[in-house]
């Protein structure tokens, strides 16, 4: 009999939380043969990344995963063998009581947000006894051997390489993206950013043409403002100087992976896109979620402390300057031009980083091994 898993996702930041849990649920089913229920409190955030899903269905099957609406008024269900509360979400009280009533309590995991901070290694796998007698364990994704790793399907990098050998052009044409020969292809998925205009100015005045593809989202309003237009609907194609701007529809997770693989540079936001851009093996830029008192800067610097290792002094300074400019409201145009001076090294470094991270166990496999050893 298959082990059963329940994953609870409370949608907080549009697509980041559901993006991670949906990928995880799919991989647990496809690669580990588990029976997975994914409980989601806002299916409207789920359907854009899973074409064919029904935002009104209380229960549906998608790619082998049982997707359930997490109702405000909870209905009794039998707890699974393994229960994951994603990103510290609060499980329904009746469900927790049902867990406590089990002859053999389920293994309860709190899947934490991704961070490269040093303290994560010390907290990964720590148990947290609850007042009701249950025990919850903290499970941290991460970038080192002492953490839970990153989400990565077993065939991901091989599929990426096969795609780049022959399918890239047809995929882009299918999206209606036809960059000029020799143009730099850049993807942009970000929060609102006061430095967007400076970056766009630098792209528009560059000697090399640039084709900027922008999946619909929060940053599109800033593009509209820069272009002097009230709105930029999906399908919009605009040119200014050397820059072509194209607004794309929201695509499935698999197609977003292919888009990242296709681009020469990827600007991303949120945990899911952040990880997938790393697997693309191309230079990238992360727009980290803003926190009070700039607490997010520590997380940004912690990741950069790992990612920059092995770069020459000049390329290291350029990369650091680019990421800080985008996230700390510094001159993005100047930082972009400086980074472009070291492009071959940054490309090689991104590819090496993806390979180094892929040498470690992926998050789903680490979770499965941990649970098998614990049950």
């Amino acid at each position: 009999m298959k082990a059963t898993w329940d994953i609870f996702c409370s949608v907080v930041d549009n697509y980041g939380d559901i993006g991670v849990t949906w990928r995880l649920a799919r991989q647990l089913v496809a690669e580990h043969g588990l029976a997975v229920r994914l409980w989601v409190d806002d299916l409207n955030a789920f359907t854009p990344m899973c074409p064919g899903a029904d935002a009104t269905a209380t229960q549906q099957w998608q790619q082998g995963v049982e997707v359930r609406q997490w109702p405000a008024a909870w209905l009794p269900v039998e707890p699974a063998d393994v229960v994951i509360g994603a990103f510290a979400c609060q499980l329904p009280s009746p469900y927790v009581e049902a867990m406590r009533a089990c002859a053999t309590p389920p293994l309860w995991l709190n899947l934490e947000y991704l961070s490269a901070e040093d303290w994560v290694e010390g907290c990964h796998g720590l148990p947290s006894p609850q007042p009701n007698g249950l025990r919850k364990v903290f499970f941290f994704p991460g970038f080192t051997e002492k953490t839970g790793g990153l989400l990565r399907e077993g065939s991901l990098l091989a599929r990426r390489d096969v795609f780049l050998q022959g399918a890239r052009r047809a995929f882009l044409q299918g999206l209606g993206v036809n960059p000029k020969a020799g143009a730099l292809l850049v993807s942009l998925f970000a929060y609102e950013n006061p430095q967007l205009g400076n970056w766009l100015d630098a792209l528009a005045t560059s000697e090399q043409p640039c084709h900027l593809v922008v999946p619909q989202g929060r940053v599109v309003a800033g593009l509209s403002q820069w272009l002097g237009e009230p709105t930029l609907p999906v399908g919009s194609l605009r040119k200014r100087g050397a820059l072509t701007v194209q607004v794309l529809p929201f695509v499935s997770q698999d197609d977003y992976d292919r888009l990242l693989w296709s681009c020469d540079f990827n600007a991303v936001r949120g945990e899911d896109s952040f990880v997938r851009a790393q697997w693309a093996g191309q230079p990238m830029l992360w727009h980290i979620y803003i926190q009070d008192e700039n607490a997010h800067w520590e997380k940004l610097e912690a990741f950069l402390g790992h990612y920059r290792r092995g770069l020459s002094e000049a390329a290291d300074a350029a990369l650091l300057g680019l990421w800080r400019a985008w996230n700390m409201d510094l001159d993005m145009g100047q930082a972009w031009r400086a980074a472009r001076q070291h492009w071959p090294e940054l490309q090689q470094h991104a590819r090496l980083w993806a390979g180094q991270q892929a040498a470690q166990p992926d998050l789903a496999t680490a979770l499965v091994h941990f649970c098998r050893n614990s049950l």
Side-chain angles (χ1 to χ4, degrees), residues 224-298:
S224 302
Q225 183 180 6
W226 183 76
L227 288 164
E229 300 188 23
T231 60
L232 279 179
V234 170
S236 296
L237 188 68
R238 303 289 187 270
K239 296 183 179 181
R240 179 181 289 185
L243 176 62
T244 300
V245 175
Q246 185 170 1
V247 181
L248 302 181
F250 202 95
V251 296
S252 69
Q253 284 188 325
D254 291 341
D255 276 348
Y256 186 63
D257 282 343
R258 297 182 186 103
L259 180 64
L260 294 173
W261 299 344
S262 299
C263 290
D264 302 300
F265 182 78
N266 294 300
V268 296
R269 70 167 176 90
E271 181 171 323
D272 183 56
S273 302
F274 175 44
V275 171
R276 304 315 278 196
Q278 292 174 61
W279 296 136
Q282 295 285 9
M284 60 174 289
L285 176 61
W286 180 33
H287 196 184
I288 191 170
Y289 187 77
I290 297 175
Q291 295 179 301
D292 292 338
E293 299 180 354
N294 294 321
H296 57 292
W297 286 358
E298 291 185 14

Side-chain angles (χ1 to χ4, degrees), residues 3-76:
T4 58
W5 290 48
D6 273 339
I7 302 175
F8 286 84
C9 174
S10 179
V11 176
V12 176
D13 178 30
N14 293 322
Y15 305 111
D17 299 340
I18 182 58
V20 171
T21 52
W22 172 230
R23 283 196 196 272
L24 174 61
R26 287 195 296 158
Q27 188 179 353
L28 290 171
V29 169
E31 296 185 9
H32 299 280
L34 301 172
V36 180
R37 285 187 300 202
L38 176 60
W39 297 89
V40 185
D41 64 355
D42 182 6
L43 287 172
N44 289 313
F46 171 65
T47 52
M49 63 184 62
C50 181
D54 184 353
T56 65
T58 58
Q59 180 184 29
Q60 58 189 301
W61 291 88
Q62 297 292 340
Q63 300 182 41
V65 178
E66 182 182 358
V67 181
R68 298 286 294 267
Q69 170 70 49
W70 179 349
W74 185 258
L75 300 175

Side-chain angles (χ1 to χ4, degrees), residues 101-138:
C102 291
T104 302
L107 178 60
W108 184 5
L109 302 174
N110 186 48
L111 180 63
E112 293 286 347
Y113 285 106
L114 174 63
S115 177
E117 294 170 287
D118 291 340
W119 61 265
V120 166
E121 291 185 346
C123 294
H124 175 61
L126 285 184
S128 174
Q130 304 296 297
N132 59 9
L134 292 172
R135 188 183 71 155
K136 180 164 59 175
V137 178
F138 295 102

Side-chain angles (χ1 to χ4, degrees), residues 174-185:
L175 291 178
V177 177
N178 297 286
K180 290 182 180 180
L184 189 75
L185 186 60

